[in-house]
């Protein structure tokens, strides 16, 4: 991504859209909706990891929720002094992605010896094992009552407290940084290696791609994203309990990425906002919320299999049925969304 | 094109979210109480909650409302997950109309919402029974149920002093509520001189469906009683499986937590529920006149016996009414302060009084299931109201 | 451990294993036929239990009238599932799309069950009853075994054997498998894929729903029955992906591990199953009985 192709009209519109989002949202939204948006944006960071694993590398992993848990419990232990020492929250936050990139690398070394669906199953196993420990192992995870009394994020002398708007700006910064990282990876050697694995792992091997190491690196980047977001999440909500990290919750990050468009960075953010925002619409239908949610997932998958980012492909396809003359150009993102 | 489309989607999402914000104080003459109701996997709890809360509201409104204002319940659906529960509670916490909130029955869910309760400063009834809630020392958080410290003590005292138990097998769901109750019970048992080792503990995952292996082991050991703690559905299965496994209630007293005496568990387990003792927060009909009156009204309205969630939501709303009327105000702080003055309030569950632990409850029931009916043996007052 | 305790636990674990095996076999049939991992398998199992409960408790059908009605209902559920979840998505470019759709279907089935039949768990009468209506116990050498567990093992094994023979030994089954694996060629020689896939979905629905019906007297009918699918997943992987025999043996293993790990390890029961799963995967990635073939996904 050089400066020259940064200045395309498309990107300029994109940057304006992002700035507009960051500026307008705090003006029109306060209170409750702000908590929804903040958590949605945190979840978008976790879904970035899904994008790297599933979108770029074609590997379906449920492990994100477990790494989110690792990040959250790490902060809870470091900042409350329950282990006998306290690390400043900001330092702990910065440590989280580094520590858990390492942890994810080690776990990845083990799990990614497996391929395809076997790998997916091993991540389900990881989620189950980790959940059981989160729920039962008191010394590190607080046991049944979880860990409360977690301090909020403090940078220097500035404390984010319960200022939801300040949190929003902070999270936006990380969402944007994360998005840039994802876009860089997509265009890097790593991204191309992952794409080659996704399209045909055997062919990638014969072309000299170290598929194993590539996947392990992707797994550890995804783990770092999830742990970092988990760390922010726990300082935002100031409570952590094991119920958050069970298998049911593991699926929602994949759903977010799929709904947004698993290879569209902006799409993932929108997907996360939609997944978190949709239930608020159904709040009136108390008792039926889960039913609507399930039906929406099916409908979205049936009618928008490539997510929101794929809407255009669907529309363009329909359009082309009338106008046989096909246009060239403007198709670069269409190629992104096809596996 | 792509970014333009994304911009459109963004605007759509923002409009969606903005649509669910507006709650800037409607300023009408109603008395608003937020209640959290479960659904999904916890739908059964949700139904009883809804019944109990509706009953309280209708009863109050028929009697002229609170301070002349009609009670309006604002419902938050917590479905069955931590995040959804915190979201639903936040939605209520940011609603300026509300004078008080009756929160989740699941302790961990309530704990998740409590930091924001503190900042908001609204009277909040956490309906779980974990002592972890009370230990937080949050000045706005109240509990009407006897917390697990009291329940554990009552279970241990009943087992040791009344039943003469010396070596019980303790079965418990490792879900937060019951793991915590099991710990409190074990501490109390040890205080009473009973040795509890790992061999006495039989923890099982909340989603466990097959309790026969546990009973097989218990029967193979030399235990003299079974103490079991679980939610309604697991407790029904535990009672059924105890019979299938051949546990003899004559030789081995069977003592359960609250759910074992619940209507749901007994209806589901049928004849297998017989002979179980239970230390319960609530037995249909209670042990006081107020409890009887509640039960009669409940049966008249819904045609079936009540269950715990119904009565705790009912009592919480009644306490809110009492505090608001004592304070003569709908103001949150005034109500919260008035809750400190509650003395000997006749709730359906028993007499309520203010204590520094912010737990109102003073009594528990010892019951036994006979002929597929729960019967009260005695109400025990664990502290003077 | 006494022999009596061991045999009680063993039969119990075996019965649970058979239940998981029924779920697992259904999973494999679907994976073979349409290449899709069905995350709603447990909920189909639950729905089968609810349908049988409705026929017995609400419509009071006698046993022999109930069986054909139940079978038809199971087939209908299977077909509805196929035409809503699989058919519209059969050409999706990501396998994950269909997987997510089945997750959505799981939620819908769970909620529908509560909507239709209420949140109250429903008790089912056991197949073999004592004169007082309780569950009959089979006593072998002082070891009490609930009859229902014995029946689960018998019925489950018989049903699985039948389906195994159908798919592996009979011409029609081979035809169906071939058609599923190469639908283009099958269409060329005049086998409509839609029929073979519909047949597979119907068979899977029957297999899984009968499993739900068989366990309902022991576990009651409630909307959390579906959680058993995770154990079936573990069984499938331990046994070897895409291999019916392996999946069955893997599931039996999972049932046994689970039951025996309740000894002094109960709070961490789930850990033992999944740790075994991870260890098996690392030592033998193709599963205990899998052939070394490349994974399609």
């Amino acid at each position: 991504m050089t400066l020259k192709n940064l200045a395309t009209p498309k990107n300029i519109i994109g940057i304006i859209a992002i700035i507009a989002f960051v500026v307008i949202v705090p003006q029109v939204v306060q209170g409750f909706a702000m908590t929804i948006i903040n958590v949605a944006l945190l979840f978008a960071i976790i879904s970035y990891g899904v994008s790297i694993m599933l979108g770029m590398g074609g590997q379906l992993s449920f492990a994100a929720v477990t790494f989110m848990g690792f990040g959250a419990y790490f902060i809870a232990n470091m900042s409350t002094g329950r282990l006998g020492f306290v690390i400043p929250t900001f330092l702990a936050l910065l440590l989280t992605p580094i520590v858990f990139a390492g942890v994810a690398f080690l776990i990845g070394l083990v799990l990614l010896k497996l391929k395809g669906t076997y790998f997916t199953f091993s991540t389900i196993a990881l989620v189950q094992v980790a959940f059981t420990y989160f729920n039962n192992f008191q010394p590190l995870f607080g046991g049944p009552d979880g860990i409360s009394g977690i301090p909020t994020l403090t940078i220097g002398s500035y404390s984010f407290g319960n200022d939801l708007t300040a949190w929003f700006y902070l999270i936006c910064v990380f969402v944007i940084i994360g998005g840039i990282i994802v876009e860089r990876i997509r265009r890097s050697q790593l991204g191309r290696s992952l794409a080659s694995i996704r399209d045909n792992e055997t062919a990638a091997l014969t072309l000299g791609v170290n598929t194993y190491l590539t996947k392990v690196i992707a797994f550890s980047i995804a783990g770092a994203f999830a742990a970092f977001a988990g760390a922010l999440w726990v300082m935002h909500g100031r409570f952590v309990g094991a119920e958050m990290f069970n298998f049911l919750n593991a699926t929602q990050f994949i759903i977010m990425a799929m709904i947004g468009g698993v290879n569209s960075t902006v799409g993932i953010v929108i997907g996360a906002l939609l997944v978190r925002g949709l239930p608020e619409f159904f709040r009136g239908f108390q008792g039926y919320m889960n039913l609507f949610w399930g039906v929406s997932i099916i409908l979205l998958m049936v009618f928008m299999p490539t997510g929101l980012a794929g809407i255009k492909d669907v529309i363009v396809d329909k359009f082309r049925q009338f106008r046989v003359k096909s246009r060239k150009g403007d198709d670069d993102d269409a190629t992104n969304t096809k596996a | 094109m792509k970014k333009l489309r994304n911009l459109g989607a963004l605007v759509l999402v923002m409009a969606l979210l903005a649509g669910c914000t507006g709650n800037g104080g409607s300023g009408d003459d109603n008395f608003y109480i937020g209640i959290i109701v479960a659904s999904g996997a916890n739908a059964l709890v949700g139904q009883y909650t809804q019944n109990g809360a509706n009953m309280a509201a209708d009863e109050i409104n028929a009697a002229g409302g609170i301070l002349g204002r009609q009670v309006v319940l604002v419902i938050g659906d917590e479905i069955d997950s931590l995040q959804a529960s915190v979201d639903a509670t936040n939605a209520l916490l940011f609603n300026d109309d509300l004078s008080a909130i009756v929160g989740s029955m699941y302790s961990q869910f309530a704990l998740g919402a409590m930091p924001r309760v503190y900042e908001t400063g609204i009277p909040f009834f956490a309906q779980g029974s974990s002592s972890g809630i009370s230990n937080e020392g949050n000045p706005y958080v109240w509990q009407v149920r006897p917390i697990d410290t009291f329940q554990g003590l009552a279970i241990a005292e009943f087992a040791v002093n009344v039943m003469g138990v010396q070596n019980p097998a303790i079965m418990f769901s490792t879900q937060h509520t019951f793991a915590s109750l099991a710990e409190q019970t074990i501490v109390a048992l040890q205080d009473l001189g009973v040795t509890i080792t790992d061999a006495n503990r039989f923890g099982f995952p909340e989603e466990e469906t097959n309790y026969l292996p546990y009973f097989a082991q218990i029967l193979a050991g030399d235990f003299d009683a079974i103490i079991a703690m679980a939610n309604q559905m697991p407790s029904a299965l535990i009672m059924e499986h105890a019979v299938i496994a051949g546990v003899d209630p004559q030789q081995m007293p069977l003592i359960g937590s609250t759910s074992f005496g619940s209507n749901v568990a007994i209806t589901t387990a049928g004849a297998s529920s017989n002979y179980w003792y239970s230390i319960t927060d609530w037995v249909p009909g209670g042990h006081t006149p107020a409890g009887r009156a509640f039960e009669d009204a409940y049966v008249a309205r819904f045609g079936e016996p009540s269950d715990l969630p119904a009565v705790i939501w009912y009592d919480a709303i009644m306490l809110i009414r009492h505090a608001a009327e004592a304070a003569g105000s709908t103001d949150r702080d005034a109500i919260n302060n008035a809750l400190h003055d509650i003395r000997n309030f006749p709730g359906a569950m028993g007499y309520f009084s203010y204590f520094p632990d912010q737990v109102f409850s003073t009594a528990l029931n010892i019951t036994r299931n006979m002929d597929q009916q729960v019967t009260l043996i005695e109400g025990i007052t664990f502290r003077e109201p | 451990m006494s022999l009596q305790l061991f045999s009680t636990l063993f039969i119990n674990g075996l019965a649970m294993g058979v239940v998981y095996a029924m779920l697992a076999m259904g999973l494999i049939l679907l994976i073979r036929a349409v290449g899709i991992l069905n995350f709603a398998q447990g909920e189909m199992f639950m729905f089968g239990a609810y349908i049988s409960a409705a026929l017995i408790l609400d419509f009071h059908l006698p046993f022999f009238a109930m069986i054909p009605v139940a079978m038809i209902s199971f087939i209908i559920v299977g077909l509805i599932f196929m035409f809503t979840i699989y058919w519209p998505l059969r050409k999706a470019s990501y396998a994950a799309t269909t997987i997510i759709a089945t997750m959505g279907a799981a939620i819908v089935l769970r909620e529908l069950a509560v909507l239709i039949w209420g949140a109250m768990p429903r008790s089912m009468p056991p197949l073999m009853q004592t004169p007082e209506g309780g569950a009959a116990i089979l006593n072998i050498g002082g070891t009490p075994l609930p009859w229902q567990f014995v029946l689960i093992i018998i019925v489950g094994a018989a049903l699985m054997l039948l389906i195994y023979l159908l798919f592996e030994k009979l011409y029609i089954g081979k035809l169906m498998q071939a058609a599923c694996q190469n639908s283009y060629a099958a269409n060329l020689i005049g086998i409509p894929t839609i029929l073979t896939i519909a047949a597979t979905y119907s068979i899977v629905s029957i297999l899984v729903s009968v499993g739900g019906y068989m366990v309902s007297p022991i576990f009651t009918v409630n909307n959390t029955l579906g959680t058993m699918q995770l154990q079936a997943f573990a069984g499938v992987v331990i046994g070897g992906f895409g291999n019916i025999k392996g999946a069955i043996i893997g599931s039996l293993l999972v049932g046994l591990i689970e039951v025996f790990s309740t000894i002094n390890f109960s709070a961490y029961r789930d850990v033992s199953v999944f740790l075994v799963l991870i260890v098996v995967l690392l030592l033998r990635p193709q599963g205990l009985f899998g052939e070394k073939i490349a994974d399609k996904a």
Side-chain angles (χ1 to χ4, degrees):
Chain A
M1 211 200 278
T2 62
L3 237 138
K4 197 182 149 204
N5 48 19
L6 251 182
T8 60
K10 263 172 64 178
N11 276 331
I12 290 171
I13 294 174
I15 290 164
I16 291 172
I18 291 167
I19 293 173
F21 177 78
V22 177
V23 172
I24 293 172
V25 165
Q27 308 303 319
V28 293
V29 176
Q30 309 94 16
F32 170 58
M34 208 66 190
T35 64
I36 296 285
I37 292 180
N38 284 352
V39 175
L41 292 174
L42 287 175
F43 285 5
I45 298 179
I46 300 174
S47 300
Y48 282 160
V50 175
S51 169
I52 295 172
M53 286 299 288
L54 179 62
M56 294 185 203
Q59 309 292 315
L60 181 59
S61 158
F62 288 97
V65 79
T66 297
F67 282 98
M68 179 194 174
F70 285 160
Y73 281 111
F74 179 74
I75 294 291
N77 279 306
M78 292 299 123
S79 65
T80 55
R82 54 194 302 283
L83 296 184
F85 61 90
V86 175
I87 293 181
T89 48
F90 186 56
L91 181 63
L93 178 68
L94 292 184
L95 275 176
T96 314
I98 302 164
V99 170
F100 290 102
V103 172
F105 189 83
L106 294 178
I107 295 178
L109 280 179
V110 177
L111 299 188
L112 280 155
K113 286 211 164 126
L114 307 166
K115 288 184 180 146
T117 323
Y118 296 103
F119 166 70
T120 303
F121 273 111
S122 71
T123 62
I124 296 178
L126 176 72
V127 171
Q128 284 290 323
V129 171
F131 170 73
T132 309
Y133 277 96
F134 287 159
N135 204 25
N136 292 303
F137 192 62
Q138 203 117 8
L140 280 182
F141 307 118
D145 283 334
I147 301 174
S148 41
I150 295 161
T152 183
L153 180 64
T154 309
I155 301 177
S157 60
Y158 179 75
S159 167
F160 281 85
N162 58 341
D163 184 349
L164 293 173
T165 315
W167 269 107
F168 172 77
Y169 290 128
L170 178 80
I171 295 168
C172 277
V173 168
F174 288 124
V175 168
I176 291 167
I177 294 175
I180 292 171
I181 294 174
V182 174
E183 285 301 313
R184 291 301 296 250
I185 292 174
R186 199 189 303 286
R187 286 167 176 77
S188 70
Q189 177 65 43
L190 176 65
R192 284 191 293 274
S193 301
L194 279 169
S196 70
I197 294 171
R198 177 192 64 203
D199 295 337
N200 189 333
E201 184 157 353
T202 321
L205 256 175
T206 52
L207 287 173
V209 176
N210 186 341
T211 56
Y212 174 56
L213 197 64
T214 308
K215 286 190 287 186
V216 173
I217 291 172
F219 188 75
S220 65
I221 295 172
F225 269 114
F228 184 73
L232 281 171
W233 174 82
V234 78
M235 289 192 280
H236 181 262
R238 278 161 296 151
F239 172 79
V240 55
E243 296 286 322
M244 188 61 209
F245 312 112
N246 58 20
F247 178 68
L248 272 182
N249 282 320
T251 56
Q252 71 171 332
F253 301 111
I254 293 159
I255 293 173
M256 281 174 186
M258 292 296 293
I259 284 178
V262 74
N263 268 323
S264 157
T265 309
V266 182
I268 285 171
V269 178
I270 296 170
L273 286 168
L274 259 185
V275 169
R276 298 273 304 132
L278 218 53
E280 299 316 316
F281 255 112
F282 299 144
R283 245 185 221 300
F285 305 94
Q286 177 247 331
Y288 297 89
M289 275 168 71
N290 246 2
L291 183 66
F292 282 120
W293 170 226
V295 172
S296 334
I297 293 173
I298 298 174
L299 291 181
L300 279 166
M301 287 301 114
V302 169
F303 292 107
M304 280 188 250
T306 48
L308 293 172
I311 298 177
K312 190 196 64 182
D313 301 346
V314 176
I315 296 171
V316 167
D317 277 354
K318 289 263 167 355
F319 191 61
R320 276 178 187 160
Q321 289 171 359
F322 296 104
R323 273 182 60 181
V324 187
K325 203 177 101 187
S326 72
R327 290 183 303 144
K328 287 219 168 209
D330 200 24
D331 268 0
D332 46 356
D333 46 333
T335 51
N336 275 345
T337 50
K338 290 271 159 61
Chain B
M1 270 310 286
K2 180 187 171 194
K3 295 284 149 98
L4 260 180
R5 185 183 65 247
N6 284 335
L7 184 68
L10 261 183
V11 171
L12 178 81
V13 169
M14 278 159 56
L16 284 185
L17 286 167
C20 59
T21 21
N23 263 317
S26 51
D28 55 20
D29 268 352
N30 292 327
F31 189 95
Y32 291 96
I33 299 175
I35 59 166
I36 290 291
V37 175
S39 65
N42 301 332
L44 196 55
V45 165
Q47 280 178 10
Y48 281 106
T49 301
Q50 187 89 59
N51 289 353
N54 287 344
M55 220 174 104
D58 293 349
E59 210 170 283
I60 293 170
N61 288 340
I66 300 177
L67 303 167
R69 294 160 182 259
Q70 289 287 295
V71 172
V72 176
L73 300 175
V74 181
I75 294 166
D77 185 352
E78 67 167 359
I79 316 181
D80 51 15
S81 76
L82 176 58
Q83 187 68 51
S85 178
V86 171
D87 288 344
T89 313
N90 278 341
L92 297 180
L93 286 170
F94 281 104
N95 186 337
D96 294 333
D97 291 338
L98 304 183
S99 293
I101 295 174
V102 186
S104 176
M105 175 138 173
Y106 299 90
S107 305
Q108 199 180 95
F109 296 177
L111 280 161
M114 275 164 58
R116 194 147 271 123
V117 170
Y118 182 74
E119 282 142 21
T120 310
I122 183 168
F124 180 88
F125 282 79
Q127 302 288 61
S129 62
S130 172
S131 49
I133 293 172
S134 167
N135 291 342
E136 290 284 295
N138 188 323
Y140 294 99
V141 175
W142 304 87
Q143 285 170 283
V144 289
R145 290 173 65 187
I147 53 176
D148 49 28
T149 348
F150 300 124
Q151 291 190 31
L153 190 63
I155 291 173
E157 281 181 346
F158 176 72
V160 177
N161 298 343
V162 181
M163 307 306 296
V165 172
Q166 282 307 314
N167 187 24
I170 301 168
M171 301 175 72
F172 58 97
S173 158
T174 56
Q175 191 224 34
H176 41 102
T177 315
F178 300 101
S180 161
L181 176 60
E183 280 319 304
Q184 301 293 345
T185 309
I186 289 169
V187 168
L189 281 168
Q190 283 167 337
D191 286 347
L192 290 166
V194 177
T195 320
I196 301 291
T197 64
D198 274 349
N200 297 76
R201 293 171 201 244
F202 294 88
F204 50 83
E206 172 69 6
E207 59 277 16
E208 178 65 276
T209 43
N210 179 10
Y211 298 92
L212 291 161
Y214 302 93
F215 285 116
Q217 289 168 60
I218 290 169
L219 289 174
D222 55 350
F223 300 105
D224 59 359
I226 295 175
I227 299 177
M229 300 154 189
N231 270 321
Q232 289 159 334
M233 231 121 76
S235 60
L237 286 178
I238 288 173
M239 295 194 286
E240 278 190 34
H241 291 183
V243 173
I244 296 176
V247 173
D248 180 2
Q250 307 306 329
Q251 292 183 352
M252 224 185 211
L254 306 169
I255 304 165
S257 62
T258 290
S259 311
F260 287 79
S262 70
N263 176 34
V264 172
I266 293 175
T267 315
T268 310
S272 309
S273 67
N274 289 343
Y275 309 118
W276 278 81
Y277 292 97
S278 157
I279 313 296
T280 69
D281 310 32
W282 171 245
V283 48
H287 59 270
T288 61
R292 186 76 264 157
F294 168 83
E295 187 62 23
D296 292 344
Y298 190 96
V299 173
R301 176 157 175 183
F302 300 105
E304 54 164 18
S306 68
D307 210 322
L308 179 67
V311 75
I312 54 179
W313 259 261
Y314 178 88
D315 272 353
I317 291 171
M318 286 302 174
L319 278 170
I320 292 166
R321 170 212 212 178
H322 181 79
E325 283 176 347
S329 160
T330 60
D331 178 63
R332 295 167 172 189
D333 276 316
I335 294 174
N336 204 58
N337 287 334
L339 284 169
H340 288 84
D341 300 325
I342 300 271
R343 293 286 179 280
N344 239 335
F345 176 82
M349 291 171 75
Y351 290 95
F352 292 132
S353 277
Y354 168 80
F355 290 93
D357 58 10
Q358 311 238 67
V359 177
F360 289 112
S361 170
T362 60
L364 274 160
N365 308 287
I366 296 177
T367 64
R368 193 170 196 200
N369 303 339
M370 297 303 280
D371 299 328
Q372 303 185 39
Q373 292 236 313
V374 60
T375 40
L376 178 71
I377 294 180
E378 59 170 335
I380 42 172
T381 304
F382 54 82
R383 55 182 180 185
E384 280 311 311
Chain C
M1 192 192 303
S2 70
L3 184 68
Q4 187 187 336
L5 176 58
F6 178 84
S7 45
T8 313
L9 292 183
F10 187 81
I11 294 290
N12 196 310
L14 208 59
M16 293 307 292
V18 168
V19 174
Y20 301 149
M22 290 167 94
L23 285 166
M25 187 179 195
L27 280 173
I28 301 272
L29 292 178
L30 285 184
I31 288 169
R32 280 197 187 172
V34 291
I36 281 163
L37 209 55
N38 184 12
F39 274 83
Q41 194 84 348
E43 274 66 25
M44 288 171 81
F45 171 82
M46 173 210 75
F47 222 73
Y50 267 107
I51 289 177
S52 342
L55 295 178
I56 293 174
L57 302 176
D58 299 338
F59 295 100
H60 305 288
L61 290 186
F63 185 73
F64 288 102
M66 180 219 128
I67 289 179
V69 181
M71 290 301 154
I72 293 166
S73 328
F74 298 158
I75 292 175
I76 292 171
V77 171
L79 292 181
I80 292 176
F81 191 87
M82 170 191 164
F83 282 107
T84 47
I85 309 302
Y86 164 71
W87 198 250
L89 284 164
R90 64 194 186 282
K91 294 199 172 85
S93 47
Y94 270 111
T97 310
T98 333
I99 292 181
I100 305 271
T102 64
M103 289 175 179
I107 298 174
V108 172
L109 283 175
R110 226 168 21 235
E111 294 299 313
L112 274 183
V114 174
L115 226 55
I116 302 174
W117 292 289
M120 190 87 166
R122 316 197 73 187
S123 307
M124 289 276 274
L127 277 174
M128 298 284 266
Q129 297 177 349
T130 56
E132 299 91 57
I137 311 285
L138 176 67
N139 214 315
I140 304 176
T143 308
L145 297 172
W147 258 108
Q148 190 70 28
F149 272 149
V150 180
L151 288 175
I152 288 176
I153 297 176
I154 296 171
V155 172
L159 197 56
M160 286 189 289
L161 185 70
L162 266 177
I163 294 173
Y164 180 76
L165 290 177
L166 172 69
F167 275 87
E168 303 281 320
K169 303 289 177 221
L170 289 184
Y171 178 70
I172 178 97
K174 288 188 175 161
L175 204 69
M176 275 166 66
Q177 282 198 50
C180 292
Q181 271 153 20
N182 192 339
S183 58
Y184 178 71
N187 274 328
L188 277 187
I189 58 166
I191 309 172
T193 346
I194 184 162
L195 275 187
T196 58
I197 291 177
T200 311
Y201 266 92
S202 309
I203 291 171
V204 169
S205 180
I206 288 177
L207 173 67
V208 170
S209 306
V210 169
Y213 164 62
M214 290 304 292
V215 300
S216 57
I218 299 185
F219 300 145
T220 73
V221 182
N222 63 67
N223 68 341
T224 56
L225 276 180
T227 51
M228 287 191 200
Q229 76 177 355
L230 277 182
Q231 277 89 338
F233 283 164
V236 165
V237 182
I238 290 176
F241 224 73
N243 179 328
I244 290 186
K245 256 188 262 175
I248 291 173
I249 297 173
S251 302
L252 294 178
L253 268 179
V254 168
L256 290 170
I257 295 169
E258 205 177 62
V259 164
F260 281 97
S261 65
T262 58
I263 298 175
N264 296 334
F265 197 54
S266 49
Y268 294 92
R269 186 204 71 178
D270 285 353
V271 171
S272 54
V273 172
F274 288 101
L275 279 185
V276 170
L277 172 68
I278 290 179
V279 170
V280 167
L281 283 178
L282 291 176
L283 298 181
R284 256 187 90 84
Q286 70 274 31
L288 291 177
F289 301 91
E291 296 124 45
K292 258 204 155 132
I293 42 159
D295 189 49
K296 269 204 287 187

